[in-house]
Amino acid sequence: MSKHIKLFIPGPTEVSKKTLEAFASPMIGHRSKEFQALYLEVQPALQQLFYTQRPVFFSTSSAWGVMEGALRNLAQKKVLCCMNGAFSDKWFDVAVRSGKEAEKLQYPWGTPVDPTELKNRLKSGDFDALTVIHNETSTGMMNPIFEIAEVMREFPEVSFIVDCVSSFSVLKIPFDELGIDVMLTGTQKALALPPGGALFAVSQRAMAKAEKTPARGYYFDFLEFQKNHEKAMTPSTPSISLFYALKSKLAEILNEGVENRYQRHLTMAQMTREWAQKRGFELFPKKGFESISLSCVKNNLQIDIPRLIQLLKNRFSVTIDGGYGSIKGKTFRISHMGDETPETIGRLLENIDECLEEIQKS
Ligand SMILES: *Cc1c(COP(=O)(O)O)cnc(C)c1O
């Protein structure tokens, strides 16, 4: 096997040996008592992290499965898509491809959703679903989810669908308190688990609405998840391996302490932002909306990013990301979510410094 390059990219994130060992546990039947026990065992910690009394469902799919599924379950009239980065832009496309009527609330990449403008758009009464990405991983920007939730309170008929794929467990996102209808995340970002799973919660009113939505399909039918949840099971054969890994990870999170985990992520974000600014870089997102999960740094110093990434791989066996989609080469991204610590991020930043020096010399 070739030498492992440690991932500091914003997904998949580096998976620890301990998690990989849990992932490699022997199989059990997914309709067995053992599986039911495993399913029930992870519920309380998941509900704690979602800040909800509602069930937390597990889908064996990447996050996009549930992102598409939420629309198929809840969009009956028209979807309004908040757009300001690669993932949120794509969600509009996914809505249209699913045969849903959709409109854009479009901002330039890195610019957050304006709650007042959102309110004015919703006042038209045309919409019954809203998609918003809390943490736009492509631009390293966090939307003001609390302010958006405040607006959504005035529009209870509009299903409030929130992607927390790269912010879940990085900071407190209280599902019940914010009145969110669907909140979803993936396994391979801040949870530092292997890819292939998505976790989501659905409000009571959204569940009632789904019952009346035609053509929900089967694989992502929320009613199927609810029905099977009542038996501590999933609709189809789940990634049992991911359940083992999740159980191991949740124990780690509770052992660290949820508040300590949030603080650790904030410390790493602050370190990375300070480092960037000290080196003369600017951050890509609008000031005040920088992500806590990752830092998207503007390449205002015109450095050769592919060369930087190659040097980091060769010298230090680590890798960062060279920018996503239309801002590839114009930005680079450093992930500081998951199992990273101020120590590992500090070392990474030193490694980057050494490589930058080398690039400047030549
Ligand atoms: C990674 C990511 C996704 C897509 O996740 P998949 O697991 O590849 O489906 C969606 N939204 C955000 C914000 C992401 O970071």
Side-chain angles (χ1 to χ4, degrees), residues 10-11 61-65 67 87-88 133-138 163-166 184 186-189 195-197:
S61 66
S62 83
W64 273 115
M67 290 164 79
F87 292 103
S88 48
I133 296 211
H134 177 221
N135 188 65
E136 239 309 344
T137 319
S138 61
D163 163 322
C164 297
V165 175
S166 59
L184 66 113
T187 48
Q188 82 278 23
K189 305 275 167 89

mmCIF file with all atom_site columns, all heavy atoms in Angstrom, residues 10-11 61-65 67 87-88 133-138 163-166 184 186-189 195-197, ligand 1:
data_model
loop_
_atom_site.group_PDB
_atom_site.id
_atom_site.type_symbol
_atom_site.label_atom_id
_atom_site.label_alt_id
_atom_site.label_comp_id
_atom_site.label_asym_id
_atom_site.label_entity_id
_atom_site.label_seq_id
_atom_site.pdbx_PDB_ins_code
_atom_site.Cartn_x
_atom_site.Cartn_y
_atom_site.Cartn_z
_atom_site.occupancy
_atom_site.B_iso_or_equiv
_atom_site.pdbx_formal_charge
_atom_site.auth_seq_id
_atom_site.auth_comp_id
_atom_site.auth_asym_id
_atom_site.auth_atom_id
_atom_site.pdbx_PDB_model_num
ATOM   1   N N   . PRO A 1 10  ? -12.006 19.435 3.066  1.00 0.00 ? 10  PRO A N   1
ATOM   2   C CA  . PRO A 1 10  ? -13.304 19.482 3.754  1.00 0.00 ? 10  PRO A CA  1
ATOM   3   C C   . PRO A 1 10  ? -14.263 18.371 3.311  1.00 0.00 ? 10  PRO A C   1
ATOM   4   O O   . PRO A 1 10  ? -15.381 18.621 2.863  1.00 0.00 ? 10  PRO A O   1
ATOM   5   C CB  . PRO A 1 10  ? -13.847 20.868 3.426  1.00 0.00 ? 10  PRO A CB  1
ATOM   6   C CG  . PRO A 1 10  ? -13.026 21.384 2.307  1.00 0.00 ? 10  PRO A CG  1
ATOM   7   C CD  . PRO A 1 10  ? -11.853 20.495 2.083  1.00 0.00 ? 10  PRO A CD  1
ATOM   8   N N   . GLY A 1 11  ? -13.834 17.178 3.375  1.00 0.00 ? 11  GLY A N   1
ATOM   9   C CA  . GLY A 1 11  ? -14.656 16.012 3.141  1.00 0.00 ? 11  GLY A CA  1
ATOM   10  C C   . GLY A 1 11  ? -14.217 15.225 1.927  1.00 0.00 ? 11  GLY A C   1
ATOM   11  O O   . GLY A 1 11  ? -14.042 15.813 0.876  1.00 0.00 ? 11  GLY A O   1
ATOM   12  N N   . SER A 1 61  ? -26.856 6.393  2.259  1.00 0.00 ? 61  SER A N   1
ATOM   13  C CA  . SER A 1 61  ? -26.696 7.152  1.013  1.00 0.00 ? 61  SER A CA  1
ATOM   14  C C   . SER A 1 61  ? -25.787 8.300  1.395  1.00 0.00 ? 61  SER A C   1
ATOM   15  O O   . SER A 1 61  ? -25.606 8.580  2.577  1.00 0.00 ? 61  SER A O   1
ATOM   16  C CB  . SER A 1 61  ? -28.035 7.724  0.549  1.00 0.00 ? 61  SER A CB  1
ATOM   17  O OG  . SER A 1 61  ? -28.503 8.703  1.468  1.00 0.00 ? 61  SER A OG  1
ATOM   18  N N   . SER A 1 62  ? -25.257 8.992  0.443  1.00 0.00 ? 62  SER A N   1
ATOM   19  C CA  . SER A 1 62  ? -24.558 10.219 0.806  1.00 0.00 ? 62  SER A CA  1
ATOM   20  C C   . SER A 1 62  ? -25.631 11.274 1.087  1.00 0.00 ? 62  SER A C   1
ATOM   21  O O   . SER A 1 62  ? -26.833 11.038 0.922  1.00 0.00 ? 62  SER A O   1
ATOM   22  C CB  . SER A 1 62  ? -23.584 10.630 -0.292 1.00 0.00 ? 62  SER A CB  1
ATOM   23  O OG  . SER A 1 62  ? -24.243 11.344 -1.303 1.00 0.00 ? 62  SER A OG  1
ATOM   24  N N   . ALA A 1 63  ? -25.209 12.439 1.529  1.00 0.00 ? 63  ALA A N   1
ATOM   25  C CA  . ALA A 1 63  ? -26.152 13.487 1.941  1.00 0.00 ? 63  ALA A CA  1
ATOM   26  C C   . ALA A 1 63  ? -27.118 13.868 0.827  1.00 0.00 ? 63  ALA A C   1
ATOM   27  O O   . ALA A 1 63  ? -28.297 14.137 1.079  1.00 0.00 ? 63  ALA A O   1
ATOM   28  C CB  . ALA A 1 63  ? -25.375 14.709 2.411  1.00 0.00 ? 63  ALA A CB  1
ATOM   29  N N   . TRP A 1 64  ? -26.645 13.872 -0.407 1.00 0.00 ? 64  TRP A N   1
ATOM   30  C CA  . TRP A 1 64  ? -27.503 14.271 -1.524 1.00 0.00 ? 64  TRP A CA  1
ATOM   31  C C   . TRP A 1 64  ? -28.768 13.436 -1.610 1.00 0.00 ? 64  TRP A C   1
ATOM   32  O O   . TRP A 1 64  ? -29.808 13.927 -2.049 1.00 0.00 ? 64  TRP A O   1
ATOM   33  C CB  . TRP A 1 64  ? -26.747 14.212 -2.859 1.00 0.00 ? 64  TRP A CB  1
ATOM   34  C CG  . TRP A 1 64  ? -26.011 15.488 -3.139 1.00 0.00 ? 64  TRP A CG  1
ATOM   35  C CD1 . TRP A 1 64  ? -24.656 15.662 -3.216 1.00 0.00 ? 64  TRP A CD1 1
ATOM   36  C CD2 . TRP A 1 64  ? -26.592 16.785 -3.365 1.00 0.00 ? 64  TRP A CD2 1
ATOM   37  N NE1 . TRP A 1 64  ? -24.363 16.975 -3.459 1.00 0.00 ? 64  TRP A NE1 1
ATOM   38  C CE2 . TRP A 1 64  ? -25.528 17.683 -3.559 1.00 0.00 ? 64  TRP A CE2 1
ATOM   39  C CE3 . TRP A 1 64  ? -27.892 17.267 -3.407 1.00 0.00 ? 64  TRP A CE3 1
ATOM   40  C CZ2 . TRP A 1 64  ? -25.736 19.049 -3.802 1.00 0.00 ? 64  TRP A CZ2 1
ATOM   41  C CZ3 . TRP A 1 64  ? -28.110 18.614 -3.640 1.00 0.00 ? 64  TRP A CZ3 1
ATOM   42  C CH2 . TRP A 1 64  ? -27.041 19.488 -3.842 1.00 0.00 ? 64  TRP A CH2 1
ATOM   43  N N   . GLY A 1 65  ? -28.706 12.195 -1.190 1.00 0.00 ? 65  GLY A N   1
ATOM   44  C CA  . GLY A 1 65  ? -29.895 11.364 -1.204 1.00 0.00 ? 65  GLY A CA  1
ATOM   45  C C   . GLY A 1 65  ? -31.010 12.000 -0.390 1.00 0.00 ? 65  GLY A C   1
ATOM   46  O O   . GLY A 1 65  ? -32.153 12.125 -0.848 1.00 0.00 ? 65  GLY A O   1
ATOM   47  N N   . MET A 1 67  ? -31.057 15.138 0.623  1.00 0.00 ? 67  MET A N   1
ATOM   48  C CA  . MET A 1 67  ? -31.334 16.491 0.103  1.00 0.00 ? 67  MET A CA  1
ATOM   49  C C   . MET A 1 67  ? -32.386 16.413 -1.015 1.00 0.00 ? 67  MET A C   1
ATOM   50  O O   . MET A 1 67  ? -33.304 17.228 -1.090 1.00 0.00 ? 67  MET A O   1
ATOM   51  C CB  . MET A 1 67  ? -30.039 17.127 -0.398 1.00 0.00 ? 67  MET A CB  1
ATOM   52  C CG  . MET A 1 67  ? -29.073 17.474 0.733  1.00 0.00 ? 67  MET A CG  1
ATOM   53  S SD  . MET A 1 67  ? -27.391 17.795 0.167  1.00 0.00 ? 67  MET A SD  1
ATOM   54  C CE  . MET A 1 67  ? -27.544 19.468 -0.456 1.00 0.00 ? 67  MET A CE  1
ATOM   55  N N   . PHE A 1 87  ? -22.788 23.947 -3.476 1.00 0.00 ? 87  PHE A N   1
ATOM   56  C CA  . PHE A 1 87  ? -23.787 22.983 -3.012 1.00 0.00 ? 87  PHE A CA  1
ATOM   57  C C   . PHE A 1 87  ? -25.201 23.561 -3.064 1.00 0.00 ? 87  PHE A C   1
ATOM   58  O O   . PHE A 1 87  ? -26.136 22.890 -3.494 1.00 0.00 ? 87  PHE A O   1
ATOM   59  C CB  . PHE A 1 87  ? -23.444 22.484 -1.607 1.00 0.00 ? 87  PHE A CB  1
ATOM   60  C CG  . PHE A 1 87  ? -22.208 21.629 -1.585 1.00 0.00 ? 87  PHE A CG  1
ATOM   61  C CD1 . PHE A 1 87  ? -20.993 22.132 -1.134 1.00 0.00 ? 87  PHE A CD1 1
ATOM   62  C CD2 . PHE A 1 87  ? -22.250 20.315 -2.039 1.00 0.00 ? 87  PHE A CD2 1
ATOM   63  C CE1 . PHE A 1 87  ? -19.846 21.347 -1.133 1.00 0.00 ? 87  PHE A CE1 1
ATOM   64  C CE2 . PHE A 1 87  ? -21.112 19.525 -2.038 1.00 0.00 ? 87  PHE A CE2 1
ATOM   65  C CZ  . PHE A 1 87  ? -19.899 20.049 -1.584 1.00 0.00 ? 87  PHE A CZ  1
ATOM   66  N N   . SER A 1 88  ? -25.341 24.811 -2.626 1.00 0.00 ? 88  SER A N   1
ATOM   67  C CA  . SER A 1 88  ? -26.679 25.419 -2.622 1.00 0.00 ? 88  SER A CA  1
ATOM   68  C C   . SER A 1 88  ? -27.160 25.690 -4.044 1.00 0.00 ? 88  SER A C   1
ATOM   69  O O   . SER A 1 88  ? -28.347 25.558 -4.338 1.00 0.00 ? 88  SER A O   1
ATOM   70  C CB  . SER A 1 88  ? -26.694 26.684 -1.768 1.00 0.00 ? 88  SER A CB  1
ATOM   71  O OG  . SER A 1 88  ? -25.620 27.536 -2.064 1.00 0.00 ? 88  SER A OG  1
ATOM   72  N N   . ILE A 1 133 ? -28.427 25.975 2.926  1.00 0.00 ? 133 ILE A N   1
ATOM   73  C CA  . ILE A 1 133 ? -27.233 25.265 3.385  1.00 0.00 ? 133 ILE A CA  1
ATOM   74  C C   . ILE A 1 133 ? -26.622 26.082 4.508  1.00 0.00 ? 133 ILE A C   1
ATOM   75  O O   . ILE A 1 133 ? -26.302 27.253 4.316  1.00 0.00 ? 133 ILE A O   1
ATOM   76  C CB  . ILE A 1 133 ? -26.252 25.060 2.206  1.00 0.00 ? 133 ILE A CB  1
ATOM   77  C CG1 . ILE A 1 133 ? -26.940 24.164 1.187  1.00 0.00 ? 133 ILE A CG1 1
ATOM   78  C CG2 . ILE A 1 133 ? -24.905 24.545 2.712  1.00 0.00 ? 133 ILE A CG2 1
ATOM   79  C CD1 . ILE A 1 133 ? -26.102 23.260 0.377  1.00 0.00 ? 133 ILE A CD1 1
ATOM   80  N N   . HIS A 1 134 ? -26.553 25.490 5.679  1.00 0.00 ? 134 HIS A N   1
ATOM   81  C CA  . HIS A 1 134 ? -26.022 26.255 6.811  1.00 0.00 ? 134 HIS A CA  1
ATOM   82  C C   . HIS A 1 134 ? -24.568 26.643 6.562  1.00 0.00 ? 134 HIS A C   1
ATOM   83  O O   . HIS A 1 134 ? -24.222 27.815 6.613  1.00 0.00 ? 134 HIS A O   1
ATOM   84  C CB  . HIS A 1 134 ? -26.160 25.451 8.114  1.00 0.00 ? 134 HIS A CB  1
ATOM   85  C CG  . HIS A 1 134 ? -25.559 26.161 9.275  1.00 0.00 ? 134 HIS A CG  1
ATOM   86  N ND1 . HIS A 1 134 ? -24.823 25.519 10.228 1.00 0.00 ? 134 HIS A ND1 1
ATOM   87  C CD2 . HIS A 1 134 ? -25.553 27.472 9.618  1.00 0.00 ? 134 HIS A CD2 1
ATOM   88  C CE1 . HIS A 1 134 ? -24.402 26.408 11.122 1.00 0.00 ? 134 HIS A CE1 1
ATOM   89  N NE2 . HIS A 1 134 ? -24.838 27.602 10.773 1.00 0.00 ? 134 HIS A NE2 1
ATOM   90  N N   . ASN A 1 135 ? -23.750 25.634 6.268  1.00 0.00 ? 135 ASN A N   1
ATOM   91  C CA  . ASN A 1 135 ? -22.321 25.903 6.061  1.00 0.00 ? 135 ASN A CA  1
ATOM   92  C C   . ASN A 1 135 ? -21.971 25.566 4.610  1.00 0.00 ? 135 ASN A C   1
ATOM   93  O O   . ASN A 1 135 ? -21.918 24.392 4.244  1.00 0.00 ? 135 ASN A O   1
ATOM   94  C CB  . ASN A 1 135 ? -21.497 25.047 7.022  1.00 0.00 ? 135 ASN A CB  1
ATOM   95  C CG  . ASN A 1 135 ? -20.017 25.401 7.003  1.00 0.00 ? 135 ASN A CG  1
ATOM   96  O OD1 . ASN A 1 135 ? -19.624 26.497 7.385  1.00 0.00 ? 135 ASN A OD1 1
ATOM   97  N ND2 . ASN A 1 135 ? -19.187 24.487 6.535  1.00 0.00 ? 135 ASN A ND2 1
ATOM   98  N N   . GLU A 1 136 ? -21.777 26.592 3.788  1.00 0.00 ? 136 GLU A N   1
ATOM   99  C CA  . GLU A 1 136 ? -21.432 26.366 2.382  1.00 0.00 ? 136 GLU A CA  1
ATOM   100 C C   . GLU A 1 136 ? -19.968 25.941 2.310  1.00 0.00 ? 136 GLU A C   1
ATOM   101 O O   . GLU A 1 136 ? -19.061 26.764 2.398  1.00 0.00 ? 136 GLU A O   1
ATOM   102 C CB  . GLU A 1 136 ? -21.665 27.630 1.552  1.00 0.00 ? 136 GLU A CB  1
ATOM   103 C CG  . GLU A 1 136 ? -22.635 27.498 0.402  1.00 0.00 ? 136 GLU A CG  1
ATOM   104 C CD  . GLU A 1 136 ? -22.444 26.352 -0.586 1.00 0.00 ? 136 GLU A CD  1
ATOM   105 O OE1 . GLU A 1 136 ? -21.353 25.736 -0.626 1.00 0.00 ? 136 GLU A OE1 1
ATOM   106 O OE2 . GLU A 1 136 ? -23.396 26.069 -1.335 1.00 0.00 ? 136 GLU A OE2 1
ATOM   107 N N   . THR A 1 137 ? -19.754 24.659 2.148  1.00 0.00 ? 137 THR A N   1
ATOM   108 C CA  . THR A 1 137 ? -18.398 24.103 2.202  1.00 0.00 ? 137 THR A CA  1
ATOM   109 C C   . THR A 1 137 ? -17.525 24.617 1.058  1.00 0.00 ? 137 THR A C   1
ATOM   110 O O   . THR A 1 137 ? -16.314 24.735 1.197  1.00 0.00 ? 137 THR A O   1
ATOM   111 C CB  . THR A 1 137 ? -18.490 22.560 2.166  1.00 0.00 ? 137 THR A CB  1
ATOM   112 O OG1 . THR A 1 137 ? -19.572 22.157 3.003  1.00 0.00 ? 137 THR A OG1 1
ATOM   113 C CG2 . THR A 1 137 ? -17.226 21.914 2.671  1.00 0.00 ? 137 THR A CG2 1
ATOM   114 N N   . SER A 1 138 ? -18.159 24.950 -0.069 1.00 0.00 ? 138 SER A N   1
ATOM   115 C CA  . SER A 1 138 ? -17.382 25.397 -1.232 1.00 0.00 ? 138 SER A CA  1
ATOM   116 C C   . SER A 1 138 ? -16.745 26.766 -1.001 1.00 0.00 ? 138 SER A C   1
ATOM   117 O O   . SER A 1 138 ? -15.697 27.064 -1.572 1.00 0.00 ? 138 SER A O   1
ATOM   118 C CB  . SER A 1 138 ? -18.274 25.444 -2.475 1.00 0.00 ? 138 SER A CB  1
ATOM   119 O OG  . SER A 1 138 ? -19.334 26.365 -2.286 1.00 0.00 ? 138 SER A OG  1
ATOM   120 N N   . ASP A 1 163 ? -29.511 21.961 5.332  1.00 0.00 ? 163 ASP A N   1
ATOM   121 C CA  . ASP A 1 163 ? -28.323 21.110 5.165  1.00 0.00 ? 163 ASP A CA  1
ATOM   122 C C   . ASP A 1 163 ? -27.280 21.563 6.177  1.00 0.00 ? 163 ASP A C   1
ATOM   123 O O   . ASP A 1 163 ? -26.845 22.711 6.149  1.00 0.00 ? 163 ASP A O   1
ATOM   124 C CB  . ASP A 1 163 ? -27.841 21.275 3.713  1.00 0.00 ? 163 ASP A CB  1
ATOM   125 C CG  . ASP A 1 163 ? -26.417 20.800 3.451  1.00 0.00 ? 163 ASP A CG  1
ATOM   126 O OD1 . ASP A 1 163 ? -25.540 20.998 4.306  1.00 0.00 ? 163 ASP A OD1 1
ATOM   127 O OD2 . ASP A 1 163 ? -26.155 20.280 2.353  1.00 0.00 ? 163 ASP A OD2 1
ATOM   128 N N   . CYS A 1 164 ? -26.947 20.665 7.104  1.00 0.00 ? 164 CYS A N   1
ATOM   129 C CA  . CYS A 1 164 ? -25.876 20.952 8.073  1.00 0.00 ? 164 CYS A CA  1
ATOM   130 C C   . CYS A 1 164 ? -24.740 19.961 7.838  1.00 0.00 ? 164 CYS A C   1
ATOM   131 O O   . CYS A 1 164 ? -24.074 19.542 8.789  1.00 0.00 ? 164 CYS A O   1
ATOM   132 C CB  . CYS A 1 164 ? -26.388 20.796 9.494  1.00 0.00 ? 164 CYS A CB  1
ATOM   133 S SG  . CYS A 1 164 ? -27.684 21.953 9.900  1.00 0.00 ? 164 CYS A SG  1
ATOM   134 N N   . VAL A 1 165 ? -24.553 19.591 6.585  1.00 0.00 ? 165 VAL A N   1
ATOM   135 C CA  . VAL A 1 165 ? -23.616 18.509 6.272  1.00 0.00 ? 165 VAL A CA  1
ATOM   136 C C   . VAL A 1 165 ? -22.233 18.791 6.865  1.00 0.00 ? 165 VAL A C   1
ATOM   137 O O   . VAL A 1 165 ? -21.634 17.916 7.473  1.00 0.00 ? 165 VAL A O   1
ATOM   138 C CB  . VAL A 1 165 ? -23.549 18.247 4.750  1.00 0.00 ? 165 VAL A CB  1
ATOM   139 C CG1 . VAL A 1 165 ? -22.483 17.206 4.427  1.00 0.00 ? 165 VAL A CG1 1
ATOM   140 C CG2 . VAL A 1 165 ? -24.900 17.771 4.227  1.00 0.00 ? 165 VAL A CG2 1
ATOM   141 N N   . SER A 1 166 ? -21.743 20.018 6.693  1.00 0.00 ? 166 SER A N   1
ATOM   142 C CA  . SER A 1 166 ? -20.382 20.283 7.178  1.00 0.00 ? 166 SER A CA  1
ATOM   143 C C   . SER A 1 166 ? -20.352 21.153 8.432  1.00 0.00 ? 166 SER A C   1
ATOM   144 O O   . SER A 1 166 ? -19.306 21.683 8.792  1.00 0.00 ? 166 SER A O   1
ATOM   145 C CB  . SER A 1 166 ? -19.533 20.901 6.064  1.00 0.00 ? 166 SER A CB  1
ATOM   146 O OG  . SER A 1 166 ? -20.134 22.100 5.623  1.00 0.00 ? 166 SER A OG  1
ATOM   147 N N   . LEU A 1 184 ? -30.307 17.765 8.045  1.00 0.00 ? 184 LEU A N   1
ATOM   148 C CA  . LEU A 1 184 ? -29.576 16.576 7.612  1.00 0.00 ? 184 LEU A CA  1
ATOM   149 C C   . LEU A 1 184 ? -28.072 16.811 7.651  1.00 0.00 ? 184 LEU A C   1
ATOM   150 O O   . LEU A 1 184 ? -27.597 17.946 7.550  1.00 0.00 ? 184 LEU A O   1
ATOM   151 C CB  . LEU A 1 184 ? -29.988 16.208 6.181  1.00 0.00 ? 184 LEU A CB  1
ATOM   152 C CG  . LEU A 1 184 ? -29.595 17.210 5.111  1.00 0.00 ? 184 LEU A CG  1
ATOM   153 C CD1 . LEU A 1 184 ? -28.555 16.632 4.181  1.00 0.00 ? 184 LEU A CD1 1
ATOM   154 C CD2 . LEU A 1 184 ? -30.812 17.680 4.344  1.00 0.00 ? 184 LEU A CD2 1
ATOM   155 N N   . GLY A 1 186 ? -24.095 14.489 6.823  1.00 0.00 ? 186 GLY A N   1
ATOM   156 C CA  . GLY A 1 186 ? -23.444 13.314 6.245  1.00 0.00 ? 186 GLY A CA  1
ATOM   157 C C   . GLY A 1 186 ? -22.401 12.782 7.207  1.00 0.00 ? 186 GLY A C   1
ATOM   158 O O   . GLY A 1 186 ? -21.984 13.470 8.140  1.00 0.00 ? 186 GLY A O   1
ATOM   159 N N   . THR A 1 187 ? -21.983 11.540 6.981  1.00 0.00 ? 187 THR A N   1
ATOM   160 C CA  . THR A 1 187 ? -21.033 10.936 7.926  1.00 0.00 ? 187 THR A CA  1
ATOM   161 C C   . THR A 1 187 ? -19.585 11.399 7.725  1.00 0.00 ? 187 THR A C   1
ATOM   162 O O   . THR A 1 187 ? -18.789 11.353 8.654  1.00 0.00 ? 187 THR A O   1
ATOM   163 C CB  . THR A 1 187 ? -21.066 9.399  7.792  1.00 0.00 ? 187 THR A CB  1
ATOM   164 O OG1 . THR A 1 187 ? -20.992 9.033  6.407  1.00 0.00 ? 187 THR A OG1 1
ATOM   165 C CG2 . THR A 1 187 ? -22.337 8.822  8.391  1.00 0.00 ? 187 THR A CG2 1
ATOM   166 N N   . GLN A 1 188 ? -19.251 11.833 6.503  1.00 0.00 ? 188 GLN A N   1
ATOM   167 C CA  . GLN A 1 188 ? -17.831 12.007 6.155  1.00 0.00 ? 188 GLN A CA  1
ATOM   168 C C   . GLN A 1 188 ? -17.265 13.415 6.351  1.00 0.00 ? 188 GLN A C   1
ATOM   169 O O   . GLN A 1 188 ? -16.182 13.705 5.895  1.00 0.00 ? 188 GLN A O   1
ATOM   170 C CB  . GLN A 1 188 ? -17.607 11.566 4.703  1.00 0.00 ? 188 GLN A CB  1
ATOM   171 C CG  . GLN A 1 188 ? -17.957 12.587 3.642  1.00 0.00 ? 188 GLN A CG  1
ATOM   172 C CD  . GLN A 1 188 ? -19.436 12.655 3.297  1.00 0.00 ? 188 GLN A CD  1
ATOM   173 O OE1 . GLN A 1 188 ? -20.277 12.279 4.083  1.00 0.00 ? 188 GLN A OE1 1
ATOM   174 N NE2 . GLN A 1 188 ? -19.743 13.152 2.123  1.00 0.00 ? 188 GLN A NE2 1
ATOM   175 N N   . LYS A 1 189 ? -18.007 14.272 7.033  1.00 0.00 ? 189 LYS A N   1
ATOM   176 C CA  . LYS A 1 189 ? -17.484 15.627 7.252  1.00 0.00 ? 189 LYS A CA  1
ATOM   177 C C   . LYS A 1 189 ? -17.061 15.760 8.716  1.00 0.00 ? 189 LYS A C   1
ATOM   178 O O   . LYS A 1 189 ? -16.118 15.099 9.108  1.00 0.00 ? 189 LYS A O   1
ATOM   179 C CB  . LYS A 1 189 ? -18.517 16.674 6.823  1.00 0.00 ? 189 LYS A CB  1
ATOM   180 C CG  . LYS A 1 189 ? -19.004 16.512 5.375  1.00 0.00 ? 189 LYS A CG  1
ATOM   181 C CD  . LYS A 1 189 ? -18.104 17.175 4.349  1.00 0.00 ? 189 LYS A CD  1
ATOM   182 C CE  . LYS A 1 189 ? -18.394 16.760 2.921  1.00 0.00 ? 189 LYS A CE  1
ATOM   183 N NZ  . LYS A 1 189 ? -19.392 17.559 2.231  1.00 0.00 ? 189 LYS A NZ  1
ATOM   184 N N   . PRO A 1 195 ? -17.432 7.779  4.394  1.00 0.00 ? 195 PRO A N   1
ATOM   185 C CA  . PRO A 1 195 ? -18.604 8.235  3.647  1.00 0.00 ? 195 PRO A CA  1
ATOM   186 C C   . PRO A 1 195 ? -19.643 7.122  3.515  1.00 0.00 ? 195 PRO A C   1
ATOM   187 O O   . PRO A 1 195 ? -19.349 5.957  3.761  1.00 0.00 ? 195 PRO A O   1
ATOM   188 C CB  . PRO A 1 195 ? -18.053 8.596  2.271  1.00 0.00 ? 195 PRO A CB  1
ATOM   189 C CG  . PRO A 1 195 ? -16.591 8.410  2.314  1.00 0.00 ? 195 PRO A CG  1
ATOM   190 C CD  . PRO A 1 195 ? -16.219 7.724  3.572  1.00 0.00 ? 195 PRO A CD  1
ATOM   191 N N   . GLY A 1 196 ? -20.848 7.505  3.098  1.00 0.00 ? 196 GLY A N   1
ATOM   192 C CA  . GLY A 1 196 ? -21.875 6.510  2.781  1.00 0.00 ? 196 GLY A CA  1
ATOM   193 C C   . GLY A 1 196 ? -23.118 6.578  3.636  1.00 0.00 ? 196 GLY A C   1
ATOM   194 O O   . GLY A 1 196 ? -24.047 5.814  3.424  1.00 0.00 ? 196 GLY A O   1
ATOM   195 N N   . GLY A 1 197 ? -23.149 7.506  4.599  1.00 0.00 ? 197 GLY A N   1
ATOM   196 C CA  . GLY A 1 197 ? -24.327 7.608  5.458  1.00 0.00 ? 197 GLY A CA  1
ATOM   197 C C   . GLY A 1 197 ? -24.789 9.042  5.619  1.00 0.00 ? 197 GLY A C   1
ATOM   198 O O   . GLY A 1 197 ? -23.993 9.980  5.517  1.00 0.00 ? 197 GLY A O   1
HETATM 199 C C1  . LIG B 2 .   ? -20.262 17.501 1.169  1.00 0.00 ? 1   LIG B C1  1
HETATM 200 C C2  . LIG B 2 .   ? -21.498 18.297 1.156  1.00 0.00 ? 1   LIG B C2  1
HETATM 201 C C3  . LIG B 2 .   ? -22.663 17.855 0.523  1.00 0.00 ? 1   LIG B C3  1
HETATM 202 C C4  . LIG B 2 .   ? -22.722 16.605 -0.309 1.00 0.00 ? 1   LIG B C4  1
HETATM 203 O O1  . LIG B 2 .   ? -22.521 15.509 0.424  1.00 0.00 ? 1   LIG B O1  1
HETATM 204 P P1  . LIG B 2 .   ? -22.464 14.058 -0.270 1.00 0.00 ? 1   LIG B P1  1
HETATM 205 O O2  . LIG B 2 .   ? -22.203 13.244 0.929  1.00 0.00 ? 1   LIG B O2  1
HETATM 206 O O3  . LIG B 2 .   ? -21.360 14.076 -1.267 1.00 0.00 ? 1   LIG B O3  1
HETATM 207 O O4  . LIG B 2 .   ? -23.789 13.803 -0.891 1.00 0.00 ? 1   LIG B O4  1
HETATM 208 C C5  . LIG B 2 .   ? -23.787 18.620 0.600  1.00 0.00 ? 1   LIG B C5  1
HETATM 209 N N1  . LIG B 2 .   ? -23.793 19.783 1.264  1.00 0.00 ? 1   LIG B N1  1
HETATM 210 C C6  . LIG B 2 .   ? -22.694 20.260 1.873  1.00 0.00 ? 1   LIG B C6  1
HETATM 211 C C7  . LIG B 2 .   ? -22.750 21.568 2.568  1.00 0.00 ? 1   LIG B C7  1
HETATM 212 C C8  . LIG B 2 .   ? -21.522 19.525 1.829  1.00 0.00 ? 1   LIG B C8  1
HETATM 213 O O5  . LIG B 2 .   ? -20.418 19.995 2.434  1.00 0.00 ? 1   LIG B O5  1
#
